[in-house]
């Protein structure tokens, strides 16, 4: 896949990183809605545009193998690493998984290693408390429980539901960095993580109605 043409103003305040894999347009639309003209939002693969932005978002959909390959192919890995070090950063879905050390997918895929931990497969025989087999991927609305008092969760009720689509889940090693969890059958997955200026969520906030929009709005005002 190739990056799309940049969308939005020449030097946006908020950049959704375009490396050819991600839910770019719906995320852009949701961010523009919550920004309400107070911040400009763009989609870009241009390293300088990304580095000049006040804050950045790393999306991701599909296979982590393909996502990591495209990050390397577009030459954006060093840019992403720099952003992880110095500005408010939000990873979404596979963009979250890419921040971990590695994924079990395809026998093992090295990731960016910003957070300590692995990305695990739900398995082929996942069941609920009654023994009923659950579908993989985990797709649809699930309750998320915040574990930390964090600005990203401001004015979002505990136990709010968010929209998920994934076959692999994050298992963080540094448990104090887990911002929220979600139960799917026998698996308690790390639904969100944060440390310093970086946050990441497994669900799709841009598809999660009012709660997701509120989280994105909180990200735009977050001052880590």
């Amino acid at each position: 896949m190739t990056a799309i043409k940049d969308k939005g103003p020449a030097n946006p305040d908020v950049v959704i990183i375009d490396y050819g894999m991600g839910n770019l347009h719906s995320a852009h639309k949701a961010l523009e809605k919550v920004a309400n003209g107070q911040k400009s939002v763009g989609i870009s693969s241009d390293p300088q545009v990304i580095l000049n932005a006040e804050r950045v978002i790393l999306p991701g959909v599909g296979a982590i193998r393909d996502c990591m390959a495209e990050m390397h192919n577009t030459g954006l890995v060093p840019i992403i690493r720099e952003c992880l070090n110095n500005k408010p950063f939000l990873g979404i879905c596979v963009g979250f998984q890419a921040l971990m050390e590695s994924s079990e997918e395809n026998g093992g895929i090295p990731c960016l290693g910003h957070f300590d931990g692995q990305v695990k497969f739900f398995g082929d025989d996942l069941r609920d408390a009654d023994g009923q087999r659950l579908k993989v991927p985990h797709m649809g609305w699930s309750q998320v429980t915040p574990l930390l008092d964090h600005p990203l969760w401001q004015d979002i009720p505990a136990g709010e539901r968010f929209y998920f689509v994934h076959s692999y889940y994050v298992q963080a090693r540094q448990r104090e960095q887990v911002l929220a969890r979600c139960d799917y059958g026998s698996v308690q997955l790390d639904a969100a993580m944060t440390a310093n200026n970086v946050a990441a969520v497994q669900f799709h906030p841009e598809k999660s109605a009012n709660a997701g929009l509120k989280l994105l709005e909180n990200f735009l005002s977050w001052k880590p």
Side-chain angles (χ1 to χ4, degrees):
M1 297 182 69
T2 56
I4 65 169
K5 185 177 180 181
D6 285 12
K7 179 176 181 179
N11 290 291
D13 300 313
V14 185
V15 168
I16 303 166
I17 299 176
D18 175 23
Y19 58 95
M21 300 283 292
N23 196 28
L24 303 174
H25 296 293
S26 58
H28 182 261
K29 185 176 180 181
L31 283 158
E32 282 197 320
K33 179 181 177 70
V34 299
N36 196 29
Q38 301 302 304
K39 291 185 184 295
S40 55
V41 182
I43 299 171
S44 184
S45 58
D46 185 317
Q48 203 55 55
V49 172
I50 297 168
L51 291 174
N52 287 343
E54 173 191 305
R55 55 195 69 218
V56 299
I57 292 176
L58 181 69
V61 295
I64 189 70
R65 175 188 59 188
D66 297 335
C67 286
M68 292 308 305
E70 290 303 313
M71 286 184 210
H72 286 288
N73 291 340
T74 55
L76 288 175
V77 167
I79 305 302
I80 293 169
R81 291 193 189 281
E82 186 168 344
C83 292
L84 284 164
N85 288 330
N86 62 24
K87 61 185 67 189
F89 189 108
L90 179 65
I92 295 176
C93 195
V94 179
F96 174 17
Q97 296 179 6
L99 300 182
M100 307 309 294
E101 293 174 287
S102 64
S103 172
E104 287 185 344
E105 188 179 328
N106 293 106
I109 301 294
C111 299
L112 295 172
H114 184 78
F115 289 126
D116 294 335
Q118 311 299 321
V119 182
K120 304 284 189 178
F121 180 47
F122 276 118
D124 294 317
D125 192 30
L126 184 65
R127 297 180 182 270
D128 64 16
D130 297 322
Q132 298 298 310
R133 192 166 182 172
L134 295 173
K135 292 182 179 179
V136 175
H138 171 210
M139 182 181 298
W141 295 84
S142 288
Q143 191 175 61
V144 174
T145 302
L147 302 179
L148 302 176
D149 183 13
H150 192 276
L152 219 60
W153 232 264
Q154 183 178 345
D155 297 327
I156 299 175
E160 188 63 82
R161 292 181 178 272
F162 292 84
Y163 188 80
F164 291 80
V165 183
H166 62 125
S167 298
Y168 293 78
Y169 66 94
V170 166
Q171 189 172 73
R173 187 171 294 115
Q174 305 296 330
R175 303 309 299 168
E176 72 277 6
Q177 296 178 341
V178 179
L179 174 57
R181 66 172 175 80
C182 173
D183 296 330
Y184 189 54
S186 59
V187 172
Q188 186 177 96
L189 61 101
D190 297 334
M193 287 183 67
T194 186
N196 301 317
N197 59 298
V198 179
V201 296
Q202 180 62 69
F203 51 82
H204 284 276
E206 75 279 5
K207 296 182 178 181
S208 295
N210 290 337
L213 291 176
K214 185 59 183 174
L215 187 143
L216 292 175
E217 181 183 344
N218 289 340
F219 173 69
L220 294 187
S221 61
W222 181 34
K223 296 178 180 179

